[in-house]
Amino acid sequence: MEFSTLIWTTIGVILTLCVYSFLYKDNPFYKFAEHLVVGASAGYYLVIYYYNFIDPNVVRPVFQLEHGGQAIALGGFEWWMALIPGLLGLLLYARFFPKIAWVGRWPLGIYVGGYAGLGISPVMQARVIDQMRAASSPLASIVGPGEVVDPFAAVTNTALGFVIFAVMTYFLLAKRHLGSRGIAAMIGVIAASAVVGYGGYVVLTALSAANVVSTTSILLVVGLLGTLAYFFFSLRHTGLLGGLARIGIVFLMVGFGASFGYTVMSRISLLIGRVGFLIDWIGMFSS
Amino acid sequence: MASSMTRFFERFLKIDRRWIFLAIAIAVVIPFFAPLGLPVDVTPPVQRLYDAVDELEAGGAPLLLSIDYTPATSPELEPMSTAILRHVFEKGVRVIVMTLHPAGYGMAESAILRAAEEAGAEYGEDLVYLGFQPGTSAVILGLGVNITNVFPEDAYGTPLSEIPLMEGIRNYDDIPLLISLAGWSASEAWVYFAHQPYGQRVGGGVTAVMATDLYPYLDSGQLVGLLGGMRGAAEYEVLIGRPGSGARGMDSQSVIHLIIILLIVLGNVAYFATRRQRKLAGEGT
Amino acid sequence: MMRASLAVLSILVLSLTFGWAWAQDELVLEGVEPALSDTLPPDLIPPAPAAGLTAVDYVDNNDSGNKIDLSWTTSPDDGDGAADVTGYQVWRSETAAGPGDTLAFVAAGQAGYLDETAEPGTPYYYSVTAFDGTNHSDAVSFGPVAGARNWFTATRAAVLVLVSVFFGLVLVFTQLAERGAKLFVRRIPGLNAIEEAVGRATEMGRPVLYVPGIGEIDNIMTIASLTILSHVAKITARYETPLIVPTARAVVMSAAEEVVKEAYAEVGKPDAYNRDNIRYLSDAQFAFAGAVNGIMLREKPAANLYLGAFWAESLLLAETGFEAGAIQVAGTAMVSQLPFFVTACDYTLLGEELYAASAYLSREPKLLGGLKGSDWMKVVTIVLIAAGIIMNLVGADAFVEWFHTS
Amino acid sequence: MLRRRLPLLLCFIAGLFMAVQYYVPHHSVQSAYETLLLWLQTLLAFAFLLGTVSLIRVHYHKIRNKAADRGFSLVMFAGLFAMLGLGFFHPSHHAPGSPFNLMFLNVQVPIEATMFSLLAFYVASAAFRAFRARTLEATLLLVAAAIVMLGRVPIGEMISSTIPEATRWILEVPNLAAKRGIMIGVGLGMMATSLKIILGIERAWMGGGD
């Protein structure tokens, strides 16, 4: 193994340990690494921006009349097209001179407005239209063609169908029929919820057996409806909307649970990566 | 008796957290020296991405791989770039590499150098590295019009017109598949600005933190496949039959997940046990 | 002393690396040599021609009349058996007479080509010949065909309609709010939780800690947080409960100062305002979290409110606050941080609830307009999903296809 | 006029043009669009570097004012100048495997990667000391989290094959539905903000002053 690789890696190891010293408590070694990386990354970004963008797209076309290996004419269209945005870009730095700081707003206006305008339609397509299209497909399934339906999903989907119909009915009736009317009304409402829930369950099972609508599709739509209901602020959360919002919060919490698990996984992966790095470094000496 | 139990739990909850840190550190190190060799199953989002790459023709239209991750998330994403590059070089699929993040520049370069050296891939024929361009959405949209508008030259200053691989490659029409590896919103930007306007097929590799949020894009087909975190990389390594640093980490991951679940359970048991006691004592919660 | 030596040490380490790196050898990219291969034997018989050439104006999302789509039936000598054809040559001319200029060479087995270089509105004549490496077959021709200049991408009509509907809703509600119409927004339960927490701190005679996140001042979560801060400051001012606001951005600190000072003045307690309680701690994420944790342990606030943009530091803050036994209320639209807040805090405002709370409190037209517009657009979305399901079930493909925009 | 109206007007024109060109394939519009895209890229490149200038100013002032922690500001400058030196003046700065890149890979990468890996320890400690199933919501969340955490590591499969199945169901049904709802809500918020910026209703980007 090359000596230079060992030196470089050892620098990395020392800096890694500096950062880990923060676990004991905040200390100068950690602060050293923290400030070093702030400076180094700023320098790195500056160099990368210069060589990848500013040099080939602004400096060379304007001063050396060359762009992407092609010669361009001084004062020609391409020359102006490199010069104007370059000058506009420089105007951004007017903010560091209080007297003319306002000049920096011109390029900023183009920049902020341009990016705002670019995003609108693709976001509508990606986050609304295509999601609507996916949500309205009646035979969504978590198994692809040729895969085996796993028993867990089949059972859970239909069972949840029951729960959802029951909860909805409960909230629908609870507003009007509960309150001060006592135990009898309560039992009545619960019984009605159970009956409707079972009815829903039967209908769902039949539909999915006949391959008209899959239970997954229905759950996805109900979950989406519930989530949107939870984030609907123009009406009070009572009655049907309240029921939907309750269902929504259940879906949201399970979704956040998944995020939680994955986030924990992510953090641990980062630690594993660093530990792997340290162990490989130790391994360098034995080879 | 109950009170001694409670007292134990109270003291237990108050232990210096540096003991927990130490336990985690030990738990993560041990599997490196005593591997459990647990098997990794492949899940559909990974399988779909693998299939999409596997369908590419050797020497045909290239894969565009955007290595958009930064050092902070590299332990999760670097195994992905390594696995994907090994896969394409083994199959003889040509690949164009680029990045949307300045810090991705160095990450991409080191990934390419390693993989190309290992597979004996030739620069300019089997792969080309376009480097970095700023402006995320403007870059992605620009590539749909004409790649040379955005990248007049490759990362090392060679005009694209002089690179054999780039011959006949004008825009997304000539690129059957695009994969972005990122620990930030780059994957979504590729969906917005390459898939939506140009119908480009986009696959993603992201940190586990972001993976669950992208599932709706998988279901709707806006993403052809998704690698989520180190586990996603491990699955891809299984598919190409070359276990790497993703698979190596799965043992430690298993052990620590168990420990964390255990800690949550213990913490809750201790909390509820002491809370009842506190309630009885009239202190409230 | 120690700092100085640290600086010297760092410069020393760096200059050593630097100088040493300098001495390293340069790495050079290897040049690329194209390989030549020409192994076809000479051949005197031309292949049979392709047939049935057609050319149509090709329309897609990015077409301005410059694309013509060609298709043909491959030559009988292409593929199975003869395998004589090596490819097809595509020609384009502006007159019916000649083959014109070579446009492209297409590999054997291909039965089509997309011309993307047509001048919009110009009629062209196309012809295709089969080629075996030496000889061309007879040409098969088609024409004239011209690409039409397009002013509207019809495939994206659905996007335009939905964007217009949504923006219409936002603007109408903004106008209504500006004219003073009473737009109903339900009270967010999280606001009650915040008020209860502040009330509890007052009872206990301990301070309230309000963290507005580590976002910049132009982050909409930070802006929403400052609105809620004003509300909280009015309550603490009334009861003269100390309000500590640690910030990670200098600009956010000065904005927070303004907000709190104004709130104290508004309830007639300008003297109770303590400038030292609005603090700038550090721009660095972990250093900031460490400093806030220090405040929690030393000054023992009874209520911790985390509202704004949070990243990984959410975990560190919520854990220490929980340990210290404070009532905690959080709110952020950073989805990846919400799970930690939900499990470690007493109440959490989820995502859009943060904005809704700020619109509810401030009644500012631009906030209300966005909120109400989004609300009713969600209803439109649900209606369209329902319609989509029905249309899918009855097989009304035209409706479903209209929303296929990419 | 030049100070407030012109920037708002430029913002309006650029925004409106970029929004409308999406529907107009005519080449006159598309070539203007291609030009503006390049301009936006250039402006972003210059804007990104504003942060570097601010950074230098802050640390320069710290050193000049003899602030208590100015030693670390020197460390920052050492890192900055080392990178700039290797990047701009080293003879092989622009080739693969250059010392510039080695410094990136062995200084910047280890520090940044390690900083985020600290969170693994904090998650573990918070798991024990702060994540409580105090409400129905939190309980649901923690149960789902535990299933997913087990289901995504090989050991979960060994305990029971139901765990990975349940994990997949959680991810592809309830998680998907909830995230889709959030996705739509957030998307609408993004578009509303863009609209307000283009129309000059939202002008926080202009900063204060006249």
Side-chain angles (χ1 to χ4, degrees), chain D residues 85-141:
Chain D
L86 289 179
F88 283 119
F89 303 114
H90 190 276
S92 67
H93 63 79
H94 207 188
S98 61
F100 170 66
N101 224 8
L102 283 176
M103 171 123 172
F104 168 75
L105 291 174
N106 296 292
V107 173
Q108 195 174 338
V109 171
I111 298 176
E112 286 188 11
T114 311
M115 275 186 164
F116 270 80
S117 78
L118 287 175
L119 287 160
F121 294 99
Y122 296 128
V123 164
S125 128
F128 179 60
R129 309 197 311 169
F131 298 152
R132 296 287 179 260
R134 283 182 294 181
T135 56
L136 180 66
E137 281 91 2
T139 313
L140 261 174
L141 196 159

Side-chain angles (χ1 to χ4, degrees), chain D:
Chain D
M1 176 67 207
L2 286 181
R3 293 180 179 216
R4 291 203 73 85
R5 291 244 185 100
L6 184 64
L8 285 174
L9 186 71
L10 287 171
C11 172
F12 174 73
I13 293 171
L16 188 70
F17 177 77
M18 282 311 210
V20 168
Q21 63 76 25
Y22 200 69
Y23 303 96
V24 188
H26 200 272
H27 61 94
S28 54
V29 174
Q30 288 301 311
S31 55
Y33 157 72
E34 282 171 39
T35 308
L36 194 52
L37 265 188
L38 285 175
W39 285 29
L40 287 185
Q41 253 196 289
T42 314
L43 288 178
L44 187 114
F46 280 93
F48 189 92
L49 299 176
L50 285 172
T52 312
V53 178
S54 299
L55 183 79
I56 293 172
R57 274 162 54 105
V58 167
H59 285 278
Y60 171 72
H61 284 299
K62 268 193 183 169
I63 293 170
R64 209 182 54 176
N65 300 338
K66 300 199 160 63
D69 54 354
R70 66 180 181 283
F72 292 110
S73 294
L74 287 175
V75 176
M76 194 289 294
F77 275 112
L80 177 69
F81 288 128
M83 265 309 185
L84 291 182
L86 289 179
F88 283 119
F89 303 114
H90 190 276
S92 67
H93 63 79
H94 207 188
S98 61
F100 170 66
N101 224 8
L102 283 176
M103 171 123 172
F104 168 75
L105 291 174
N106 296 292
V107 173
Q108 195 174 338
V109 171
I111 298 176
E112 286 188 11
T114 311
M115 275 186 164
F116 270 80
S117 78
L118 287 175
L119 287 160
F121 294 99
Y122 296 128
V123 164
S125 128
F128 179 60
R129 309 197 311 169
F131 298 152
R132 296 287 179 260
R134 283 182 294 181
T135 56
L136 180 66
E137 281 91 2
T139 313
L140 261 174
L141 196 159
L142 285 174
V143 170
I147 295 173
V148 168
M149 282 172 65
L150 277 181
R152 295 302 275 138
V153 288
I155 221 164
E157 168 86 38
M158 288 179 68
I159 296 170
S160 155
S161 69
T162 308
I163 294 177
E165 277 173 20
T167 300
R168 185 169 165 195
W169 180 82
I170 286 175
L171 286 170
E172 297 190 19
V173 182
N175 169 63
L176 197 153
K179 296 295 163 64
R180 183 170 276 159
I182 292 175
M183 189 176 269
I184 292 175
V186 173
L188 294 175
M190 286 160 74
M191 286 185 277
T193 308
S194 297
L195 174 74
K196 287 187 268 187
I197 287 174
I198 294 172
L199 294 184
I201 300 171
E202 176 64 68
R203 45 182 87 168
W205 58 270
M206 293 231 291
D210 60 344

